[in-house]
Amino acid sequence: MRALVPVALAPVLLAVAVPPAVAQEGGVGAAALLAKVRSCTQLSRGKYRTDDGARASVPVCGMRGAVFWKADLDIDCDGQVSRQCNRRTDPYFQPTTAYQKANGQHLNPALLPYVVVPLPSRIWNAAGAGIRGGGVVAVIYRGRVEYAVVGDQGPSDLIGEASYATARALGIDPDPVRGGVSGGVTYILFKDSRVRPIESHRAAVVAGVGLAKRFLRAN
């Protein structure tokens, strides 16, 4: 799945994004979060496909303070050029992201954990549900929790994409051509949250832990 266009309830910590360690972040366990998202109250009018040509099977679900979906994880390598993400490593590479850093530069997918949300459509409008650029996301895979931000937008009918750095932190092959995983990934997006600056992964983790704890109490 490719992003098509270029386009904080969070403590503000000024920090340069650094490669995240492959480990659970914060004090909220994956099992506790997953226990809250076993059933789906569907918000979207329809369902999304995970890949071109696939059956539309993924709804966007709503809960108090968050939305979530369960899908695959395709690698988004769009944004700042790096050794990992460029036109040589990714034939679909684009040097832009929907949201930019405080200095106006596009996000660095090799360093910053971020998630791609679908462009607005009749299926669902992320912004209308309180999900905007810089919003905090808990991404869960095989017992690991990685906090990320909403950093890019993708096709209006596809879902299940995150940055190179997100995949790497979750122990998923981050290669933009052969990497990713075909399922088993849960994305919990916290409504009306925002990290400033968007490129501060440390701020996303601090905010994410607090929001995750609030989510567990509210649901």
Side-chain angles (χ1 to χ4, degrees):
M1 182 173 73
R2 309 306 308 164
L4 297 180
V5 295
V7 216
L9 311 191
V12 177
L13 300 178
L14 298 178
V16 177
V18 296
V22 180
Q24 178 168 300
E25 297 179 307
V28 179
L33 291 170
L34 292 176
K36 299 293 185 178
V37 295
R38 288 175 179 165
S39 61
C40 174
T41 300
Q42 186 168 328
L43 290 182
S44 55
R45 292 185 178 180
K47 296 181 180 180
Y48 288 93
R49 296 178 294 140
T50 56
D51 297 289
D52 287 329
R55 180 175 61 89
S57 61
V58 179
V60 174
C61 310
M63 299 191 73
R64 294 187 187 93
V67 305
F68 73 90
W69 56 79
K70 299 178 182 182
D72 63 347
L73 192 153
D74 294 321
I75 308 300
D76 188 347
C77 231
D78 295 338
Q80 273 190 281
V81 174
S82 65
R83 177 176 58 83
Q84 298 88 348
C85 295
N86 55 66
R87 294 194 187 280
R88 179 182 57 81
T89 62
D90 180 2
Y92 300 102
F93 175 79
Q94 298 181 54
T96 57
T97 48
Y99 307 104
Q100 290 80 49
K101 297 193 286 187
N103 63 5
Q105 293 181 340
H106 293 281
L107 304 182
N108 187 331
L111 292 181
L112 182 66
Y114 70 71
V115 166
V116 180
V117 298
L119 284 163
S121 72
R122 65 171 186 81
I123 302 174
W124 184 61
N125 183 338
I131 308 300
R132 301 177 179 84
V136 182
V137 188
V139 188
I140 306 165
Y141 179 69
R142 290 190 174 178
R144 300 183 182 188
V145 180
E146 175 67 11
Y147 292 104
V149 293
V150 174
D152 207 356
Q153 292 180 315
S156 60
D157 61 340
L158 299 180
I159 208 165
E161 187 175 10
S163 68
Y164 182 107
T166 308
R168 183 180 58 183
L170 291 169
I172 296 170
D173 182 354
D175 185 273
V177 175
R178 67 174 185 270
V181 68
S182 61
V185 181
T186 299
Y187 302 79
I188 302 175
L189 297 84
F190 300 107
K191 295 178 182 178
D192 299 316
S193 61
R194 190 173 183 187
V195 170
R196 286 181 171 146
I198 192 173
E199 66 269 23
S200 174
H201 179 58
R202 185 178 302 174
V205 174
V206 172
V209 172
L211 289 162
K213 291 178 178 178
R214 185 184 304 179
F215 172 76
L216 293 178
R217 292 193 299 268
N219 292 280

